[in-house]
Amino acid sequence: TAVTMQQVVKSIGGTVKMMDRAAQTMNLEQMSLVMDAFEKQFEDLDVQTGYMEGAIGGTTALDVPQDDVDTLIQRMADEDGLELNAELTEAPQYLPDEAELNERLARLREAS
């Protein structure tokens, strides 16, 4: 959630400040402790992210059977007086020839 992310950002910001202080004094023991804390924060973030992804993934539309989705779409179409075709039979395809494309390009260039 946004609150968790704010907490993580605040915590990482504090860790960065501690790293700056440790680097200025070149105290290797302090730097090691800060780096351990930093690593723990990222591990915690990884666990929280995994939990959130699992929770969100469990509630997506992928869990809804396709038949239910199709039924709902058909019901909504019926309510609005629309007609849906389940399949498109040979859709007409229009492919302009090169001369027509060049003509359209020339008109576009004139317009700009």
Side-chain angles (χ1 to χ4, degrees):
T1 64
V3 173
T4 303
M5 288 306 294
Q6 287 177 345
Q7 291 171 344
V8 170
V9 168
K10 184 178 179 181
S11 179
I12 290 173
T15 302
V16 170
K17 288 178 185 175
M18 289 172 35
M19 289 172 65
D20 282 343
R21 277 186 254 135
Q24 288 174 356
T25 62
M26 295 304 287
N27 183 337
L28 295 180
E29 184 178 335
Q30 185 181 7
M31 289 175 78
S32 177
L33 291 172
V34 170
M35 292 303 295
D36 289 344
F38 194 69
E39 185 176 337
K40 184 180 180 331
Q41 288 175 350
F42 270 93
E43 288 172 358
D44 292 347
L45 178 61
D46 192 36
V47 169
Q48 291 173 350
T49 302
Y51 176 78
M52 290 302 297
E53 287 175 354
I56 291 170
T59 60
T60 62
L62 298 175
D63 293 335
V64 178
Q66 186 63 42
D67 290 341
D68 292 350
V69 173
D70 293 340
T71 301
L72 178 61
I73 290 172
Q74 185 62 52
R75 191 177 84 212
M76 297 305 295
D78 291 343
E79 288 175 8
D80 291 333
L82 302 173
E83 185 178 322
L84 295 176
N85 294 325
E87 292 181 29
L88 288 177
T89 56
E90 297 179 33
Q93 290 193 358
Y94 171 72
L95 298 173
D97 62 5
E98 188 174 343
E100 186 177 345
L101 289 173
N102 286 331
E103 186 179 313
R104 288 169 57 187
L105 179 59
R107 284 194 307 252
L108 287 171
R109 286 182 176 158
E110 288 173 8
S112 58

